[in-house]
Amino acid sequence: MSINVDRNWTSQALSLAFLTYVAQAVSIVIIPFMARVFAPEQYGLFAVYLAYIAVASVFSTWRYSMAIALPEDHRQAAIVVQACLAIIVTMTAVFAGFVVAAEVSGYSGQISEFAGVPLVILYVFPLGIMLAGFMNVLSGWSLRTSNAAHVGLARIVQILVGAGCQLFLGVYWEASVVSLVLGQLIGQLASIAVQATLSHRETGGYYEWYGISSAVRAVLLKYKSLPQTLVQTDLMNALGKKTLPVFISVLFGSKLAGLLSFATNVINAPLAAITASIWQVSHNRLSRQEESERSRTLVLIHNLSSYLFSLPVVAIIVFRDQLPLILGDTWKDLPEVVPFLAAMIFMNSVSNTTSYFVVFRRFRQESMANILLTILPIVSVVVGSMLLNGVETIALYCGLSALFYLVLNIYWGATTDNLGVFWKNLVLSILVNTACLLLIRMVFDVSMWAGVASGVVYMSGYYLLIIRRRFRDLKGV
């Protein structure tokens, strides 16, 4: 069966972004139900578990999954997939060995207490690493074969099955972090099953089992620069962006960590997922473009992302006081952390798209940026534990991070002659949405239903008129 790898990359990017947005919309619809079943403390423990998974997952494939898109021949790419699977199995065995050794030596309880998670979470930790690796590899293969829709459908299945299992376990078993973790693992298994089935149905003819052969070893040697270059960067990125809930949980309690994690998911999940979707599909094409063509493509991606992300961020800030009415009284403290997080997340999202201007040229500078981002949560938590309360510590971290992203974007924009693009998108997208949403908020205070209707009309018009134009510009590449 032939595979058309030259399908329009923009259509693939937009297809994946759209399906990912649908998946996140489903997730947001489910959030109020989840919030009424699970307390902030349980979400805090769950955030700690996810932070450990994010850091350890960097080693699940040692970033060889990035090589799936590189070979010209599909059979060679299939060998890369097998190399990745071999690494995943090996690393899962290594992590499982640590867990078994800790249990046999009698230190598992102490490790669990030190990590801040229940003991049962320690037992399923290797499984979480393995499933994360499988999902990463399957996504890489689907995107290589121009089947971005497979990835999007798998994400929808993951959220529906995972959240459904979490709710079921929380209601009929126990509303604890164990239910959250088990539900997520079941959702990942369902996602892997769907994506593997779809991929094999269309591309199975290119896949032969080579085992741990010379072909697999040759692939590992050929692309050895990937772990040498990317593992450090991704590890620093994970440590800098994912470990704050761990520090907050240890110093200020799991409730505040839960508020932080929950607010981050509500604000950041749609933005980060769409950014990752566009980048996943665009990476293969961008690496083959000439410098001038690549610069134009990246500018258009930046335009789209800035306007796409600003609306939900500003909307959440303006209407944050209504969140406890939707989520329940146990989340009444949530509005306190939302403004700081929203400002940081928007700047982070803009930074991710701006970094595309330099990712092909300055890996070392990007690594230095990630090292500095790793230091920020540590500095913030140390200063906060001595001088501030928990919410003020989060505000300090978010403020320092937003300032860092702003300076980083100014530097990257200046060095790539795209500084004007950054400032134009930032100012226009933020000012327009802030002014309009504040006006809608005034209407909302007078009449809730009139405010809701005004908000729906504005957001619909915004996406139809502005975002549609950005999509159309990007399609012209």
Side-chain angles (χ1 to χ4, degrees):
M1 181 179 294
S2 63
I3 304 173
N4 179 15
V5 294
D6 293 323
R7 295 175 190 171
N8 186 279
W9 75 272
T10 309
S11 298
Q12 292 292 303
L14 300 184
S15 173
L16 181 56
F18 172 74
L19 290 173
T20 301
Y21 212 81
V22 171
Q24 295 303 329
V26 172
S27 176
I28 290 173
V29 170
I30 296 174
I31 278 176
F33 302 98
M34 299 285 290
R36 293 179 182 276
V37 174
F38 297 97
E41 290 81 0
Q42 303 307 317
Y43 267 104
L45 295 174
F46 187 48
V48 172
Y49 162 78
L50 293 179
Y52 293 142
I53 289 291
V55 173
S57 294
V58 173
F59 303 100
S60 62
T61 64
W62 285 84
R63 304 307 286 155
Y64 276 102
S65 57
M66 294 293 291
I68 295 174
L70 300 181
E72 294 292 338
D73 180 62
H74 283 304
R75 296 187 187 278
Q76 291 297 314
I79 299 176
V80 177
V81 170
Q82 291 186 41
C84 291
L85 295 178
I87 295 172
I88 292 171
V89 172
T90 302
M91 294 308 300
T92 301
V94 169
F95 283 112
F98 283 134
V99 173
V100 171
E103 182 66 23
V104 171
S105 63
Y107 287 104
S108 58
Q110 297 178 15
I111 294 174
S112 173
E113 183 178 355
F114 176 79
V117 293
L119 185 59
V120 67
I121 303 301
L122 184 65
Y123 296 149
V124 301
F125 185 76
L127 178 60
I129 300 298
M130 182 179 69
L131 296 181
F134 284 160
M135 292 179 64
N136 192 17
V137 171
L138 285 170
S139 296
W141 178 257
S142 295
L143 294 172
R144 174 192 170 79
T145 54
S146 298
N147 288 305
H150 293 177
V151 182
L153 290 173
R155 288 176 179 172
I156 294 174
V157 169
Q158 179 187 354
I159 289 177
L160 286 174
V161 174
C165 290
Q166 287 173 332
L167 284 172
F168 179 83
L169 292 172
V171 172
Y172 294 102
W173 184 42
E174 62 177 8
S176 69
V177 63
V178 178
S179 296
L180 290 170
V181 171
L182 292 178
Q184 188 205 37
L185 294 176
I186 295 171
Q188 288 177 312
L189 283 170
S191 174
I192 290 170
V194 168
Q195 198 165 334
T197 301
L198 293 174
S199 296
H200 180 75
R201 184 177 300 168
E202 182 164 346
T203 64
Y206 286 97
Y207 197 83
E208 299 175 4
W209 180 252
Y210 291 88
I212 307 302
S213 65
S214 59
V216 173
R217 290 194 293 271
V219 163
L220 297 177
L221 291 175
K222 181 178 181 180
Y223 297 109
K224 64 180 181 180
S225 61
L226 288 173
Q228 293 173 351
T229 304
L230 296 179
V231 167
Q232 175 190 351
T233 299
D234 289 348
L235 181 61
M236 293 297 101
N237 194 28
L239 289 172
K241 294 182 179 179
K242 303 295 184 181
T243 55
L244 183 62
V246 178
F247 298 134
I248 293 295
S249 179
V250 170
L251 294 175
F252 300 104
S254 59
K255 179 179 180 179
L256 186 60
L259 293 173
L260 171 66
S261 174
F262 197 84
T264 302
N265 288 335
V266 171
I267 302 169
N268 190 48
L271 312 187
I274 291 175
T275 299
S277 300
I278 295 174
W279 178 240
Q280 278 182 302
V281 176
S282 303
H283 173 76
N284 193 31
R285 167 58 74 90
L286 291 170
S287 62
R288 290 174 167 81
Q289 286 181 331
E290 297 294 332
E291 187 68 27
S292 58
E293 185 183 9
R294 181 191 303 155
S295 179
R296 178 169 176 262
T297 300
L298 294 174
V299 166
L300 292 174
I301 291 175
H302 187 275
N303 289 344
L304 171 64
S305 302
S306 299
Y307 284 91
L308 189 65
F309 297 158
S310 60
L311 180 57
V313 168
V314 175
I316 288 176
I317 294 177
V318 172
F319 294 98
R320 66 186 183 276
D321 294 337
Q322 277 67 45
L323 289 175
L325 299 177
I326 301 172
L327 304 177
D329 291 338
T330 56
W331 298 90
K332 63 181 183 299
D333 298 325
L334 188 61
E336 294 184 39
V337 300
V338 164
F340 313 113
L341 276 173
M344 181 198 72
I345 287 170
F346 176 76
M347 290 305 305
N348 180 25
S349 300
V350 173
S351 176
N352 285 338
T353 51
T354 305
S355 69
Y356 299 161
F357 291 122
V358 295
V359 73
F360 292 99
R361 316 181 205 180
R362 299 179 175 86
F363 284 108
R364 183 174 299 176
Q365 291 181 0
E366 190 178 24
S367 297
M368 289 300 299
N370 285 323
I371 291 173
L372 292 174
L373 283 175
T374 305
I375 298 174
L376 277 179
I378 299 175
V379 172
S380 301
V381 168
V382 170
V383 173
S385 63
M386 295 185 297
L387 303 174
L388 307 171
N389 61 34
V391 174
E392 291 170 342
T393 299
I394 293 174
L396 174 64
Y397 166 72
C398 292
L400 290 176
S401 298
L403 180 62
F404 174 80
Y405 289 129
L406 179 63
V407 173
L408 190 64
N409 275 271
I410 292 173
Y411 171 72
W412 279 345
T415 56
T416 58
D417 298 324
N418 286 298
L419 183 59
V421 173
F422 166 70
W423 284 115
K424 181 190 71 174
N425 291 334
L426 178 66
V427 172
L428 291 180
S429 60
I430 288 294
L431 288 182
V432 170
N433 283 311
T434 300
C436 293
L437 288 173
L438 285 175
L439 181 61
I440 293 172
R441 175 62 186 267
M442 294 172 60
V443 176
F444 188 91
D445 290 338
V446 176
S447 172
M448 183 183 72
W449 293 112
V452 170
S454 302
V456 170
V457 170
Y458 174 70
M459 287 188 282
S460 300
Y462 181 84
Y463 280 108
L464 286 174
L465 297 177
I466 296 180
I467 302 303
R468 185 179 179 183
R469 177 184 175 185
R470 301 301 172 185
F471 277 137
R472 188 170 59 249
D473 292 341
L474 193 56
K475 283 185 176 181
V477 177

